[in-house]
Amino acid sequence: MRLFFALWPPRQAAAALHVWANEASREAHGRVTRAETIHLTLAFLGEVDEEALPSVIGAGRGTGGKAHTLPIEQARWWKHNRIVWAGPNETPAPLASLAVELKRNLLEAGFELETRPFAAHVTLIRKACEPRGLPPLPAIDWPAAEFVLVRSVPSREGSSYETIGRFALDQK
């Protein structure tokens, strides 16, 4: 199973980001992320044997965090992986803490993860060219009250995602 942990936006936020990405793709070209697959990855595990699933879920359950709002304040193009992304100007402290604790729990459970630091971003266009400019971002309301464990199922039309675990964030 190909697994990752993520923050998932409300439908309205995903729809607004998708509309923005379609507009931005006129300049950046590339492949726009489908609205139903827009997310912010917290930790990517890659291929995981099914018998390891209880350990993955345990790492998620053992991760605490505070509910917060994810600000979508900037959009950029990253040359190194040819994506256009949107996200906060600075990672909110509750999000940074969540990502660090989740990574620590997954490493302690024996999973191998990327070594690069967490960068809060939402990929909206893949295989993008450098745009001369990007349109202004819409106002997005993205409350983060939970994080999810997701299974990615590849197909010819692009991967589809199945949520296989939900983990609440503290509302206090």
Side-chain angles (χ1 to χ4, degrees), residues 135-158:
L137 284 164
I140 302 288
D141 183 29
W142 186 332
E146 69 176 3
F147 65 102
V148 293
L149 175 60
V150 179
R151 178 179 180 199
S152 174
V153 181
S155 73
R156 287 186 182 165
E157 295 79 39

Side-chain angles (χ1 to χ4, degrees), residues 99-120:
V100 166
E101 185 175 343
L102 179 59
K103 183 176 184 176
R104 183 179 62 242
N105 289 344
L106 289 165
L107 290 171
E108 286 175 2
F111 295 98
E112 291 184 29
L113 302 172
E114 295 178 324
T115 57
R116 64 184 168 180
F118 175 71

Side-chain angles (χ1 to χ4, degrees), residues 116-141:
R116 64 184 168 180
F118 175 71
H121 71 283
V122 179
T123 300
L124 296 172
I125 305 173
R126 297 183 187 283
K127 298 182 180 176
C129 300
E130 182 174 12
R132 283 179 278 166
L134 292 170
L137 284 164
I140 302 288
D141 183 29

Side-chain angles (χ1 to χ4, degrees), residues 4 8-9 14 32-40 123 158-161:
F4 63 94
W8 220 264
V32 173
T33 302
R34 296 186 327 271
E36 66 273 13
T37 62
I38 290 174
H39 65 278
L40 183 143
T123 300
S159 294
S160 62
Y161 296 145

